[in-house]
Amino acid sequence: LKNKCYSINEYEYDIIETEKYIRICQFDFQTVTRKNINEDYDEIEKFSLMLLIASWLSFLTTIVSIFFMFITLLVYGLFEKLRNIPGWNVINLTLSLIIAQISFLSGSYLNKIPVLCFIIALTTHYGYLASFFWMNVIAFDLYRNFSQKMRHILLQNVSIR
């Protein structure tokens, strides 16, 4: 049909010449029986229910994760003894993960305006890159601390012998 805008599930790219042709999929109601149509609708309903469950599960687990990250920040804020160098590394990691997850969650709902969608995408990308950086900092700090302690233990064993 001319001047019709097809949705993504109404066409597919041609296997041989993907740049030139698309295939438009339509029901041929003269060859399809009523039973087959009902089976297709049952499959569509099952699939949409699975998508609904998966989206709600993802939403709820993200909310729970953000909640407990705020509790982590609260604990580090309340106890001054925790605010040492490794503690600040954890605080920065938690903040970057909060930024990433909040922007990822808001991107699911605020994606209609292109500029806003772009800003949310940049913020999500920044949050995950920053969290990866802080995980590297924590790993380096752990390596440095444990390697120095192991050297100290080895030197004590050598001096005892």
Side-chain angles (χ1 to χ4, degrees), residues 45-151:
E45 286 178 7
K46 287 178 187 175
F47 184 69
S48 63
L49 179 65
M50 288 181 355
L51 284 178
L52 182 67
I53 291 170
S55 64
W56 273 104
L57 186 64
S58 176
F59 175 77
L60 290 176
T61 53
T62 303
I63 293 295
V64 168
S65 177
I66 291 170
F67 174 73
F68 281 110
M69 284 190 283
F70 276 119
I71 288 178
T72 302
L73 287 178
L74 180 69
V75 167
Y76 274 89
L78 289 176
F79 299 107
E80 190 175 337
K81 189 175 183 180
L82 294 175
R83 290 191 300 259
N84 50 15
I85 290 178
W88 280 108
N89 291 339
V90 172
I91 290 170
N92 288 323
L93 172 64
T94 307
L95 283 172
S96 63
L97 282 173
I98 286 173
I99 290 170
Q101 286 193 351
I102 287 176
S103 62
F104 183 76
L105 194 63
S106 64
S108 300
Y109 301 102
L110 303 174
N111 57 4
K112 302 294 184 226
I113 304 169
V115 174
L116 186 61
C117 184
F118 180 73
I119 291 170
I120 289 172
L122 283 178
T123 308
T124 304
H125 190 72
Y126 167 77
Y128 283 120
L129 280 177
S131 65
F132 183 74
F133 170 78
W134 286 110
M135 282 186 251
N136 281 325
V137 169
I138 291 170
F140 180 74
D141 185 48
L142 287 171
Y143 166 75
R144 193 184 58 172
N145 284 333
F146 284 121
S147 65
Q148 287 176 356
K149 289 180 182 177
M150 289 303 291
R151 262 192 239 129

Side-chain angles (χ1 to χ4, degrees), residues 10-59:
E10 291 179 319
Y11 71 90
E12 62 185 16
Y13 290 104
D14 187 60
I15 298 170
I16 298 170
E17 296 182 273
T18 57
E19 299 298 321
K20 289 185 178 180
Y21 300 108
I22 61 171
R23 294 182 185 169
I24 300 169
C25 305
Q26 294 178 337
F27 277 120
D28 184 8
F29 287 106
Q30 296 175 0
T31 60
V32 177
T33 64
R34 186 75 181 151
K35 181 181 176 188
N36 289 341
I37 293 173
N38 288 338
E39 288 174 2
D40 289 340
Y41 285 138
D42 289 342
E43 290 296 318
I44 290 170
E45 286 178 7
K46 287 178 187 175
F47 184 69
S48 63
L49 179 65
M50 288 181 355
L51 284 178
L52 182 67
I53 291 170
S55 64
W56 273 104
L57 186 64
S58 176
F59 175 77

